[in-house]
PDB file of all heavy atoms in Angstrom:
ATOM      1  N   SER U   1     125.218 103.206 111.580  1.00 98.00           N
ATOM      2  CA  SER U   1     126.064 103.086 112.766  1.00 98.00           C
ATOM      3  C   SER U   1     125.894 101.716 113.389  1.00 98.00           C
ATOM      4  O   SER U   1     124.784 101.182 113.459  1.00 98.00           O
ATOM      5  CB  SER U   1     125.692 104.159 113.793  1.00 98.00           C
ATOM      6  OG  SER U   1     126.401 103.943 115.007  1.00 98.00           O
ATOM      7  N   MET U   2     127.012 101.138 113.842  1.00 98.00           N
ATOM      8  CA  MET U   2     126.974  99.856 114.561  1.00 98.00           C
ATOM      9  C   MET U   2     127.517 100.002 115.980  1.00 98.00           C
ATOM     10  O   MET U   2     127.917  99.020 116.601  1.00 98.00           O
ATOM     11  CB  MET U   2     127.750  98.790 113.786  1.00 98.00           C
ATOM     12  CG  MET U   2     127.014  98.294 112.551  1.00 98.00           C
ATOM     13  SD  MET U   2     127.898  96.970 111.669  1.00 98.00           S
ATOM     14  CE  MET U   2     128.074  95.725 112.948  1.00 98.00           C
ATOM     15  N   ASN U   3     127.510 101.210 116.501  1.00 97.00           N
ATOM     16  CA  ASN U   3     128.063 101.456 117.836  1.00 97.00           C
ATOM     17  C   ASN U   3     127.284 100.763 118.949  1.00 97.00           C
ATOM     18  O   ASN U   3     127.820 100.599 120.057  1.00 97.00           O
ATOM     19  CB  ASN U   3     128.142 102.958 118.112  1.00 97.00           C
ATOM     20  CG  ASN U   3     129.402 103.574 117.539  1.00 97.00           C
ATOM     21  OD1 ASN U   3     130.458 102.966 117.534  1.00 97.00           O
ATOM     22  ND2 ASN U   3     129.285 104.799 117.044  1.00 97.00           N
ATOM     23  N   GLU U   4     126.047 100.366 118.708  1.00 97.00           N
ATOM     24  CA  GLU U   4     125.316  99.613 119.721  1.00 97.00           C
ATOM     25  C   GLU U   4     125.732  98.148 119.751  1.00 97.00           C
ATOM     26  O   GLU U   4     125.509  97.464 120.753  1.00 97.00           O
ATOM     27  CB  GLU U   4     123.807  99.733 119.479  1.00 97.00           C
ATOM     28  CG  GLU U   4     123.249 101.129 119.688  1.00 97.00           C
ATOM     29  CD  GLU U   4     121.744 101.168 119.550  1.00 97.00           C
ATOM     30  OE1 GLU U   4     121.137 100.083 119.346  1.00 97.00           O
ATOM     31  OE2 GLU U   4     121.167 102.271 119.643  1.00 97.00           O
ATOM     32  N   ASP U   5     126.357  97.680 118.680  1.00 98.00           N
ATOM     33  CA  ASP U   5     126.780  96.287 118.590  1.00 98.00           C
ATOM     34  C   ASP U   5     128.247  96.102 118.985  1.00 98.00           C
ATOM     35  O   ASP U   5     128.632  95.039 119.495  1.00 98.00           O
ATOM     36  CB  ASP U   5     126.590  95.751 117.173  1.00 98.00           C
ATOM     37  CG  ASP U   5     125.151  95.868 116.714  1.00 98.00           C
ATOM     38  OD1 ASP U   5     124.311  95.155 117.269  1.00 98.00           O
ATOM     39  OD2 ASP U   5     124.882  96.664 115.793  1.00 98.00           O
ATOM     40  N   CYS U   6     129.060  97.108 118.726  1.00 98.00           N
ATOM     41  CA  CYS U   6     130.496  97.034 118.989  1.00 98.00           C
ATOM     42  C   CYS U   6     131.050  98.456 118.931  1.00 98.00           C
ATOM     43  O   CYS U   6     130.294  99.402 118.660  1.00 98.00           O
ATOM     44  CB  CYS U   6     131.196  96.138 117.977  1.00 98.00           C
ATOM     45  SG  CYS U   6     130.998  96.718 116.272  1.00 98.00           S
ATOM     46  N   LYS U   7     132.365  98.597 119.149  1.00 98.00           N
ATOM     47  CA  LYS U   7     132.965  99.926 119.115  1.00 98.00           C
ATOM     48  C   LYS U   7     134.040 100.078 118.045  1.00 98.00           C
ATOM     49  O   LYS U   7     134.403 101.195 117.702  1.00 98.00           O
ATOM     50  CB  LYS U   7     133.559 100.260 120.489  1.00 98.00           C
ATOM     51  CG  LYS U   7     132.529 100.299 121.614  1.00 98.00           C
ATOM     52  CD  LYS U   7     131.404 101.284 121.308  1.00 98.00           C
ATOM     53  CE  LYS U   7     130.376 101.308 122.427  1.00 98.00           C
ATOM     54  NZ  LYS U   7     129.213 102.200 122.114  1.00 98.00           N
ATOM     55  N   MET U   8     134.557  98.968 117.547  1.00 98.00           N
ATOM     56  CA  MET U   8     135.505  98.982 116.436  1.00 98.00           C
ATOM     57  C   MET U   8     135.181  97.845 115.491  1.00 98.00           C
ATOM     58  O   MET U   8     134.689  96.802 115.915  1.00 98.00           O
ATOM     59  CB  MET U   8     136.956  98.836 116.941  1.00 98.00           C
ATOM     60  CG  MET U   8     137.473  99.999 117.751  1.00 98.00           C
ATOM     61  SD  MET U   8     139.265  99.873 118.067  1.00 98.00           S
ATOM     62  CE  MET U   8     139.262  98.981 119.639  1.00 98.00           C
ATOM     63  N   LEU U   9     135.462  98.045 114.192  1.00 98.00           N
ATOM     64  CA  LEU U   9     135.220  97.023 113.171  1.00 98.00           C
ATOM     65  C   LEU U   9     136.433  96.915 112.268  1.00 98.00           C
ATOM     66  O   LEU U   9     136.999  97.925 111.843  1.00 98.00           O
ATOM     67  CB  LEU U   9     133.980  97.375 112.344  1.00 98.00           C
ATOM     68  CG  LEU U   9     132.624  97.069 112.990  1.00 98.00           C
ATOM     69  CD1 LEU U   9     131.512  97.809 112.275  1.00 98.00           C
ATOM     70  CD2 LEU U   9     132.358  95.570 112.977  1.00 98.00           C
ATOM     71  N   PHE U  10     136.805  95.655 111.928  1.00 98.00           N
ATOM     72  CA  PHE U  10     138.061  95.433 111.222  1.00 98.00           C
ATOM     73  C   PHE U  10     137.936  94.635 109.930  1.00 98.00           C
ATOM     74  O   PHE U  10     138.767  94.785 109.033  1.00 98.00           O
ATOM     75  CB  PHE U  10     139.037  94.698 112.146  1.00 98.00           C
ATOM     76  CG  PHE U  10     139.132  95.288 113.501  1.00 98.00           C
ATOM     77  CD1 PHE U  10     138.530  94.685 114.592  1.00 98.00           C
ATOM     78  CD2 PHE U  10     139.808  96.483 113.719  1.00 98.00           C
ATOM     79  CE1 PHE U  10     138.607  95.226 115.858  1.00 98.00           C
ATOM     80  CE2 PHE U  10     139.893  97.046 114.991  1.00 98.00           C
ATOM     81  CZ  PHE U  10     139.284  96.420 116.064  1.00 98.00           C
ATOM     82  N   ASP U  11     136.951  93.743 109.833  1.00 98.00           N
ATOM     83  CA  ASP U  11     136.848  92.908 108.638  1.00 98.00           C
ATOM     84  C   ASP U  11     135.407  92.426 108.497  1.00 98.00           C
ATOM     85  O   ASP U  11     134.638  92.433 109.469  1.00 98.00           O
ATOM     86  CB  ASP U  11     137.797  91.711 108.733  1.00 98.00           C
ATOM     87  CG  ASP U  11     138.142  91.121 107.359  1.00 98.00           C
ATOM     88  OD1 ASP U  11     137.762  91.718 106.339  1.00 98.00           O
ATOM     89  OD2 ASP U  11     138.786  90.065 107.311  1.00 98.00           O
ATOM     90  N   ILE U  12     135.070  92.003 107.265  1.00 98.00           N
ATOM     91  CA  ILE U  12     133.723  91.481 106.997  1.00 98.00           C
ATOM     92  C   ILE U  12     133.814  90.387 105.952  1.00 98.00           C
ATOM     93  O   ILE U  12     134.607  90.457 105.016  1.00 98.00           O
ATOM     94  CB  ILE U  12     132.767  92.594 106.524  1.00 98.00           C
ATOM     95  CG1 ILE U  12     131.346  92.044 106.368  1.00 98.00           C
ATOM     96  CG2 ILE U  12     133.271  93.271 105.260  1.00 98.00           C
ATOM     97  CD1 ILE U  12     130.285  93.117 106.215  1.00 98.00           C
ATOM     98  N   LYS U  13     132.994  89.337 106.158  1.00 98.00           N
ATOM     99  CA  LYS U  13     132.878  88.253 105.190  1.00 98.00           C
ATOM    100  C   LYS U  13     131.405  87.925 105.038  1.00 98.00           C
ATOM    101  O   LYS U  13     130.729  87.566 106.005  1.00 98.00           O
ATOM    102  CB  LYS U  13     133.633  87.009 105.688  1.00 98.00           C
ATOM    103  CG  LYS U  13     133.339  85.751 104.882  1.00 98.00           C
ATOM    104  CD  LYS U  13     133.709  85.898 103.411  1.00 98.00           C
ATOM    105  CE  LYS U  13     133.353  84.618 102.641  1.00 98.00           C
ATOM    106  NZ  LYS U  13     133.643  84.773 101.189  1.00 98.00           N
ATOM    107  N   MET U  14     130.880  88.041 103.803  1.00 98.00           N
ATOM    108  CA  MET U  14     129.489  87.739 103.518  1.00 98.00           C
ATOM    109  C   MET U  14     129.401  86.480 102.659  1.00 98.00           C
ATOM    110  O   MET U  14     130.058  86.366 101.631  1.00 98.00           O
ATOM    111  CB  MET U  14     128.824  88.907 102.792  1.00 98.00           C
ATOM    112  CG  MET U  14     128.798  90.211 103.583  1.00 98.00           C
ATOM    113  SD  MET U  14     127.811  90.159 105.097  1.00 98.00           S
ATOM    114  CE  MET U  14     126.150  89.886 104.450  1.00 98.00           C
ATOM    115  N   PHE U  15     128.587  85.508 103.106  1.00 97.00           N
ATOM    116  CA  PHE U  15     128.342  84.300 102.317  1.00 97.00           C
ATOM    117  C   PHE U  15     127.404  84.595 101.147  1.00 97.00           C
ATOM    118  O   PHE U  15     127.540  84.031 100.061  1.00 97.00           O
ATOM    119  CB  PHE U  15     127.715  83.210 103.181  1.00 97.00           C
ATOM    120  CG  PHE U  15     128.661  82.616 104.181  1.00 97.00           C
ATOM    121  CD1 PHE U  15     128.185  82.056 105.350  1.00 97.00           C
ATOM    122  CD2 PHE U  15     130.026  82.613 103.972  1.00 97.00           C
ATOM    123  CE1 PHE U  15     129.032  81.481 106.274  1.00 97.00           C
ATOM    124  CE2 PHE U  15     130.898  82.048 104.887  1.00 97.00           C
ATOM    125  CZ  PHE U  15     130.398  81.479 106.045  1.00 97.00           C
ATOM    126  N   ASN U  16     126.416  85.415 101.392  1.00 96.00           N
ATOM    127  CA  ASN U  16     125.454  85.837 100.391  1.00 96.00           C
ATOM    128  C   ASN U  16     124.959  87.212 100.791  1.00 96.00           C
ATOM    129  O   ASN U  16     125.516  87.825 101.710  1.00 96.00           O
ATOM    130  CB  ASN U  16     124.310  84.823 100.257  1.00 96.00           C
ATOM    131  CG  ASN U  16     123.661  84.500 101.604  1.00 96.00           C
ATOM    132  OD1 ASN U  16     123.221  85.404 102.326  1.00 96.00           O
ATOM    133  ND2 ASN U  16     123.593  83.221 101.957  1.00 96.00           N
ATOM    134  N   LYS U  17     123.924  87.725 100.155  1.00 96.00           N
ATOM    135  CA  LYS U  17     123.506  89.097 100.426  1.00 96.00           C
ATOM    136  C   LYS U  17     122.894  89.260 101.822  1.00 96.00           C
ATOM    137  O   LYS U  17     122.697  90.402 102.273  1.00 96.00           O
ATOM    138  CB  LYS U  17     122.516  89.585  99.369  1.00 96.00           C
ATOM    139  CG  LYS U  17     121.198  88.862  99.356  1.00 96.00           C
ATOM    140  CD  LYS U  17     120.285  89.433  98.271  1.00 96.00           C
ATOM    141  CE  LYS U  17     118.929  88.740  98.258  1.00 96.00           C
ATOM    142  NZ  LYS U  17     118.045  89.292  97.206  1.00 96.00           N
ATOM    143  N   ASN U  18     122.624  88.162 102.514  1.00 97.00           N
ATOM    144  CA  ASN U  18     121.993  88.241 103.837  1.00 97.00           C
ATOM    145  C   ASN U  18     122.903  87.789 104.971  1.00 97.00           C
ATOM    146  O   ASN U  18     122.892  88.400 106.047  1.00 97.00           O
ATOM    147  CB  ASN U  18     120.717  87.404 103.869  1.00 97.00           C
ATOM    148  CG  ASN U  18     119.624  87.969 102.974  1.00 97.00           C
ATOM    149  OD1 ASN U  18     119.401  89.167 102.946  1.00 97.00           O
ATOM    150  ND2 ASN U  18     118.974  87.092 102.223  1.00 97.00           N
ATOM    151  N   VAL U  19     123.650  86.710 104.780  1.00 98.00           N
ATOM    152  CA  VAL U  19     124.371  86.073 105.872  1.00 98.00           C
ATOM    153  C   VAL U  19     125.856  86.397 105.817  1.00 98.00           C
ATOM    154  O   VAL U  19     126.505  86.234 104.778  1.00 98.00           O
ATOM    155  CB  VAL U  19     124.179  84.544 105.823  1.00 98.00           C
ATOM    156  CG1 VAL U  19     124.942  83.874 106.969  1.00 98.00           C
ATOM    157  CG2 VAL U  19     122.704  84.181 105.891  1.00 98.00           C
ATOM    158  N   GLY U  20     126.379  86.858 106.954  1.00 98.00           N
ATOM    159  CA  GLY U  20     127.798  87.171 107.008  1.00 98.00           C
ATOM    160  C   GLY U  20     128.293  87.436 108.408  1.00 98.00           C
ATOM    161  O   GLY U  20     127.527  87.408 109.374  1.00 98.00           O
ATOM    162  N   PHE U  21     129.588  87.757 108.502  1.00 98.00           N
ATOM    163  CA  PHE U  21     130.255  87.944 109.785  1.00 98.00           C
ATOM    164  C   PHE U  21     131.128  89.201 109.760  1.00 98.00           C
ATOM    165  O   PHE U  21     131.662  89.565 108.712  1.00 98.00           O
ATOM    166  CB  PHE U  21     131.120  86.727 110.118  1.00 98.00           C
ATOM    167  CG  PHE U  21     130.309  85.474 110.284  1.00 98.00           C
ATOM    168  CD1 PHE U  21     129.995  84.695 109.182  1.00 98.00           C
ATOM    169  CD2 PHE U  21     129.858  85.102 111.538  1.00 98.00           C
ATOM    170  CE1 PHE U  21     129.241  83.536 109.333  1.00 98.00           C
ATOM    171  CE2 PHE U  21     129.107  83.946 111.686  1.00 98.00           C
ATOM    172  CZ  PHE U  21     128.793  83.170 110.590  1.00 98.00           C
ATOM    173  N   ALA U  22     131.281  89.814 110.932  1.00 98.00           N
ATOM    174  CA  ALA U  22     132.137  90.975 111.073  1.00 98.00           C
ATOM    175  C   ALA U  22     133.083  90.770 112.242  1.00 98.00           C
ATOM    176  O   ALA U  22     132.680  90.240 113.292  1.00 98.00           O
ATOM    177  CB  ALA U  22     131.297  92.239 111.290  1.00 98.00           C
ATOM    178  N   CYS U  23     134.330  91.163 112.065  1.00 98.00           N
ATOM    179  CA  CYS U  23     135.329  91.144 113.128  1.00 98.00           C
ATOM    180  C   CYS U  23     135.297  92.486 113.861  1.00 98.00           C
ATOM    181  O   CYS U  23     135.357  93.552 113.217  1.00 98.00           O
ATOM    182  CB  CYS U  23     136.716  90.903 112.552  1.00 98.00           C
ATOM    183  SG  CYS U  23     136.917  89.308 111.765  1.00 98.00           S
ATOM    184  N   ALA U  24     135.240  92.435 115.195  1.00 98.00           N
ATOM    185  CA  ALA U  24     134.988  93.655 115.946  1.00 98.00           C
ATOM    186  C   ALA U  24     135.716  93.626 117.298  1.00 98.00           C
ATOM    187  O   ALA U  24     136.427  92.679 117.628  1.00 98.00           O
ATOM    188  CB  ALA U  24     133.479  93.809 116.176  1.00 98.00           C
ATOM    189  N   ALA U  25     135.505  94.698 118.069  1.00 98.00           N
ATOM    190  CA  ALA U  25     135.993  94.797 119.433  1.00 98.00           C
ATOM    191  C   ALA U  25     134.900  95.426 120.283  1.00 98.00           C
ATOM    192  O   ALA U  25     134.097  96.227 119.795  1.00 98.00           O
ATOM    193  CB  ALA U  25     137.278  95.609 119.515  1.00 98.00           C
ATOM    194  N   SER U  26     134.891  95.088 121.567  1.00 98.00           N
ATOM    195  CA  SER U  26     133.797  95.495 122.458  1.00 98.00           C
ATOM    196  C   SER U  26     133.941  96.922 122.964  1.00 98.00           C
ATOM    197  O   SER U  26     132.960  97.514 123.412  1.00 98.00           O
ATOM    198  CB  SER U  26     133.718  94.546 123.650  1.00 98.00           C
ATOM    199  OG  SER U  26     134.937  94.600 124.406  1.00 98.00           O
ATOM    200  N   SER U  27     135.141  97.496 122.910  1.00 98.00           N
ATOM    201  CA  SER U  27     135.365  98.835 123.465  1.00 98.00           C
ATOM    202  C   SER U  27     136.368  99.585 122.615  1.00 98.00           C
ATOM    203  O   SER U  27     137.257  98.981 121.997  1.00 98.00           O
ATOM    204  CB  SER U  27     135.886  98.734 124.903  1.00 98.00           C
ATOM    205  OG  SER U  27     136.252 100.006 125.403  1.00 98.00           O
ATOM    206  N   GLU U  28     136.232 100.906 122.562  1.00 97.00           N
ATOM    207  CA  GLU U  28     137.223 101.727 121.885  1.00 97.00           C
ATOM    208  C   GLU U  28     138.473 101.900 122.735  1.00 97.00           C
ATOM    209  O   GLU U  28     139.518 102.321 122.244  1.00 97.00           O
ATOM    210  CB  GLU U  28     136.656 103.081 121.494  1.00 97.00           C
ATOM    211  CG  GLU U  28     136.289 103.975 122.675  1.00 97.00           C
ATOM    212  CD  GLU U  28     134.859 103.776 123.153  1.00 97.00           C
ATOM    213  OE1 GLU U  28     134.297 102.691 122.928  1.00 97.00           O
ATOM    214  OE2 GLU U  28     134.313 104.725 123.751  1.00 97.00           O
ATOM    215  N   ASP U  29     138.374 101.592 124.030  1.00 97.00           N
ATOM    216  CA  ASP U  29     139.499 101.629 124.962  1.00 97.00           C
ATOM    217  C   ASP U  29     140.174 100.266 124.931  1.00 97.00           C
ATOM    218  O   ASP U  29     139.626  99.283 125.438  1.00 97.00           O
ATOM    219  CB  ASP U  29     139.004 101.957 126.369  1.00 97.00           C
ATOM    220  CG  ASP U  29     140.132 102.043 127.384  1.00 97.00           C
ATOM    221  OD1 ASP U  29     141.282 101.684 127.055  1.00 97.00           O
ATOM    222  OD2 ASP U  29     139.860 102.489 128.527  1.00 97.00           O
ATOM    223  N   VAL U  30     141.361 100.172 124.334  1.00 97.00           N
ATOM    224  CA  VAL U  30     141.986  98.876 124.137  1.00 97.00           C
ATOM    225  C   VAL U  30     142.292  98.183 125.447  1.00 97.00           C
ATOM    226  O   VAL U  30     142.343  96.935 125.521  1.00 97.00           O
ATOM    227  CB  VAL U  30     143.267  99.018 123.285  1.00 97.00           C
ATOM    228  CG1 VAL U  30     144.372  99.716 124.055  1.00 97.00           C
ATOM    229  CG2 VAL U  30     143.740  97.668 122.760  1.00 97.00           C
ATOM    230  N   THR U  31     142.467  98.932 126.538  1.00 97.00           N
ATOM    231  CA  THR U  31     142.751  98.299 127.832  1.00 97.00           C
ATOM    232  C   THR U  31     141.545  97.521 128.354  1.00 97.00           C
ATOM    233  O   THR U  31     141.688  96.647 129.206  1.00 97.00           O
ATOM    234  CB  THR U  31     143.175  99.340 128.870  1.00 97.00           C
ATOM    235  OG1 THR U  31     142.055 100.194 129.180  1.00 97.00           O
ATOM    236  CG2 THR U  31     144.318 100.200 128.356  1.00 97.00           C
ATOM    237  N   LYS U  32     140.356  97.839 127.844  1.00 98.00           N
ATOM    238  CA  LYS U  32     139.138  97.175 128.269  1.00 98.00           C
ATOM    239  C   LYS U  32     138.523  96.297 127.162  1.00 98.00           C
ATOM    240  O   LYS U  32     137.546  95.594 127.417  1.00 98.00           O
ATOM    241  CB  LYS U  32     138.095  98.208 128.691  1.00 98.00           C
ATOM    242  CG  LYS U  32     138.546  99.119 129.828  1.00 98.00           C
ATOM    243  CD  LYS U  32     137.500 100.185 130.103  1.00 98.00           C
ATOM    244  CE  LYS U  32     137.958 101.116 131.212  1.00 98.00           C
ATOM    245  NZ  LYS U  32     136.968 102.210 131.474  1.00 98.00           N
ATOM    246  N   ALA U  33     139.095  96.323 125.996  1.00 98.00           N
ATOM    247  CA  ALA U  33     138.474  95.689 124.830  1.00 98.00           C
ATOM    248  C   ALA U  33     138.592  94.175 124.867  1.00 98.00           C
ATOM    249  O   ALA U  33     139.625  93.611 125.239  1.00 98.00           O
ATOM    250  CB  ALA U  33     139.091  96.230 123.549  1.00 98.00           C
ATOM    251  N   ASN U  34     137.517  93.507 124.445  1.00 98.00           N
ATOM    252  CA  ASN U  34     137.505  92.068 124.146  1.00 98.00           C
ATOM    253  C   ASN U  34     137.354  91.883 122.638  1.00 98.00           C
ATOM    254  O   ASN U  34     136.743  92.707 121.961  1.00 98.00           O
ATOM    255  CB  ASN U  34     136.347  91.361 124.825  1.00 98.00           C
ATOM    256  CG  ASN U  34     136.357  91.508 126.328  1.00 98.00           C
ATOM    257  OD1 ASN U  34     135.304  91.705 126.919  1.00 98.00           O
ATOM    258  ND2 ASN U  34     137.500  91.405 126.980  1.00 98.00           N
ATOM    259  N   ALA U  35     137.888  90.778 122.155  1.00 98.00           N
ATOM    260  CA  ALA U  35     137.676  90.411 120.755  1.00 98.00           C
ATOM    261  C   ALA U  35     136.243  89.935 120.555  1.00 98.00           C
ATOM    262  O   ALA U  35     135.710  89.189 121.377  1.00 98.00           O
ATOM    263  CB  ALA U  35     138.641  89.301 120.354  1.00 98.00           C
ATOM    264  N   VAL U  36     135.592  90.388 119.475  1.00 98.00           N
ATOM    265  CA  VAL U  36     134.174  90.102 119.231  1.00 98.00           C
ATOM    266  C   VAL U  36     133.978  89.683 117.776  1.00 98.00           C
ATOM    267  O   VAL U  36     134.591  90.253 116.868  1.00 98.00           O
ATOM    268  CB  VAL U  36     133.307  91.341 119.537  1.00 98.00           C
ATOM    269  CG1 VAL U  36     131.862  91.139 119.054  1.00 98.00           C
ATOM    270  CG2 VAL U  36     133.328  91.650 121.028  1.00 98.00           C
ATOM    271  N   ILE U  37     133.115  88.676 117.576  1.00 98.00           N
ATOM    272  CA  ILE U  37     132.667  88.297 116.234  1.00 98.00           C
ATOM    273  C   ILE U  37     131.162  88.457 116.194  1.00 98.00           C
ATOM    274  O   ILE U  37     130.451  87.967 117.089  1.00 98.00           O
ATOM    275  CB  ILE U  37     133.059  86.859 115.879  1.00 98.00           C
ATOM    276  CG1 ILE U  37     134.577  86.688 115.945  1.00 98.00           C
ATOM    277  CG2 ILE U  37     132.560  86.494 114.469  1.00 98.00           C
ATOM    278  CD1 ILE U  37     135.030  85.242 115.779  1.00 98.00           C
ATOM    279  N   LEU U  38     130.649  89.138 115.161  1.00 98.00           N
ATOM    280  CA  LEU U  38     129.229  89.382 114.980  1.00 98.00           C
ATOM    281  C   LEU U  38     128.719  88.663 113.738  1.00 98.00           C
ATOM    282  O   LEU U  38     129.452  88.511 112.746  1.00 98.00           O
ATOM    283  CB  LEU U  38     128.961  90.887 114.839  1.00 98.00           C
ATOM    284  CG  LEU U  38     129.425  91.774 115.989  1.00 98.00           C
ATOM    285  CD1 LEU U  38     129.307  93.239 115.591  1.00 98.00           C
ATOM    286  CD2 LEU U  38     128.629  91.504 117.253  1.00 98.00           C
ATOM    287  N   LYS U  39     127.439  88.251 113.792  1.00 98.00           N
ATOM    288  CA  LYS U  39     126.800  87.592 112.645  1.00 98.00           C
ATOM    289  C   LYS U  39     125.521  88.317 112.265  1.00 98.00           C
ATOM    290  O   LYS U  39     124.776  88.763 113.128  1.00 98.00           O
ATOM    291  CB  LYS U  39     126.470  86.128 112.990  1.00 98.00           C
ATOM    292  CG  LYS U  39     125.792  85.391 111.820  1.00 98.00           C
ATOM    293  CD  LYS U  39     125.485  83.939 112.170  1.00 98.00           C
ATOM    294  CE  LYS U  39     124.845  83.220 110.974  1.00 98.00           C
ATOM    295  NZ  LYS U  39     124.535  81.808 111.277  1.00 98.00           N
ATOM    296  N   THR U  40     125.295  88.448 110.961  1.00 98.00           N
ATOM    297  CA  THR U  40     124.041  89.007 110.450  1.00 98.00           C
ATOM    298  C   THR U  40     123.352  87.973 109.565  1.00 98.00           C
ATOM    299  O   THR U  40     124.024  87.191 108.868  1.00 98.00           O
ATOM    300  CB  THR U  40     124.271  90.302 109.652  1.00 98.00           C
ATOM    301  OG1 THR U  40     123.008  90.822 109.222  1.00 98.00           O
ATOM    302  CG2 THR U  40     125.154  90.060 108.436  1.00 98.00           C
TER     303      THR U  40
END
């Protein structure tokens, strides 16, 4: 689960097995949601 990091997830790009990015949103309520990018 990634619900502590974000509430919606849309895309992922991994450079290698460790480093990558995920496209997300801050809330499941679109009226309150911000666009979010996460890195691992």
Side-chain angles (χ1 to χ4, degrees):
S1 173
M2 286 182 57
N3 276 324
E4 293 185 3
D5 302 292
C6 60
K7 298 304 180 184
M8 292 189 269
L9 282 164
F10 312 105
D11 202 8
I12 184 167
K13 169 60 182 178
M14 299 296 295
F15 289 154
N16 52 54
K17 66 179 181 180
N18 293 316
V19 180
F21 297 87
C23 296
S26 62
S27 174
E28 66 270 25
D29 182 350
V30 70
T31 67
K32 301 175 182 178
N34 301 138
V36 170
I37 301 172
L38 302 170
K39 180 179 181 179
T40 182

